[in-house]
Amino acid sequence: MPHTDDDEIDDLLEGFIVEADLAGRWLEQHFMPPRLMFWRQKLDFSRESLAKLAPIVAETLASNTPGALEEVTRRVAQYLGETIQAHARSFWQRTDGRFELRIERATGRVDVLEIAEPIARLLLAVRKGDPKANELLGEVFDDAVRDGAPPIER
C-alpha cells in the first residue's frame, strides 16, 4: 500500500523519536570516553547534565569535520528534548518539517517548543565564546518544565 504524506511524516517522526531515545548514549560514546577503568561521565537526563553539552558543541565546531556539526546538534537537540520529557509531560511532534516538543502544563495549557531554536542559540553563544553558553540549555529546561504536568512513566 503506498504511503500518504501523513504516513511519511509519521515515519520521520518515529525515526527521530527512536534516535532521540539513544541520543545521550551516542553523545557519551563519542565525547565522554572512560577516564578510569570503571568510571564514565554520564548524561543522566538531569538539568545539570545539560551544561555538559556546550563543550561538546565547541569541540565539534573546532574540529571542522564535514557533517559533524549537523549530527551533533541533532543529538544535542534530541537529548534536550528527552531530558525535558523526563521531568514534564511532553511529547515529540513534527509540524511543517520542524521537530517540536508539545509540553503539557498542570493547568491544562499546552506549549510548543521548537527544538531547533534553543540549539541555534547555543551554537551562536558557543561561537561567540559567551561564558553563559553552558547555562543556556538549563534555562530552556527550567522554562519548559515550570508548571509542567508530571511526566508519563516509561
Side-chain angles (χ1 to χ4, degrees):
M1 175 190 276
H3 284 292
T4 66
D5 288 339
D6 288 340
D7 288 339
E8 187 173 319
I9 289 173
D10 289 344
D11 289 346
L12 291 172
L13 180 59
E14 187 174 316
F16 183 87
I17 291 169
V18 168
E19 190 177 79
D21 281 340
L22 304 173
R25 186 175 311 144
W26 186 92
L27 289 164
E28 284 179 342
Q29 289 173 349
H30 287 84
F31 293 95
M32 299 174 177
R35 288 176 174 48
L36 299 172
M37 189 182 212
F38 297 106
W39 183 83
R40 179 181 203 113
Q41 188 174 6
K42 294 282 187 190
L43 294 175
D44 60 2
F45 301 101
S46 67
R47 183 197 191 283
E48 294 75 26
S49 70
L50 295 171
K52 298 173 185 173
L53 301 178
I56 291 173
V57 170
E59 181 181 330
T60 305
L61 279 169
S63 75
N64 287 325
T65 305
L69 186 59
E70 181 180 338
E71 175 80 9
V72 167
T73 55
R74 185 178 74 249
R75 301 294 180 138
V76 166
Q78 291 167 328
Y79 181 76
L80 171 61
E82 292 296 304
T83 301
I84 292 168
Q85 285 183 329
H87 297 272
R89 186 172 303 153
S90 50
F91 305 93
W92 288 109
Q93 65 183 27
R94 185 171 153 89
T95 307
D96 297 330
R98 296 180 313 251
F99 292 102
E100 304 166 328
L101 262 185
R102 187 180 78 238
I103 303 164
E104 296 180 8
R105 305 294 177 188
T107 61
R109 191 180 87 229
V110 174
D111 292 326
V112 175
L113 172 63
E114 185 180 331
I115 204 70
E117 189 274 331
I119 303 308
R121 288 191 353 231
L122 176 64
L123 279 171
L124 185 60
V126 169
R127 278 194 175 125
K128 289 181 173 181
D130 186 342
K132 294 186 179 186
N134 288 352
E135 300 168 24
L136 194 141
L137 294 182
E139 292 168 2
V140 170
F141 171 85
D142 290 343
D143 289 342
V145 301
R146 186 175 297 116
D147 300 324
I152 294 177
E153 296 296 321
R154 293 181 182 201

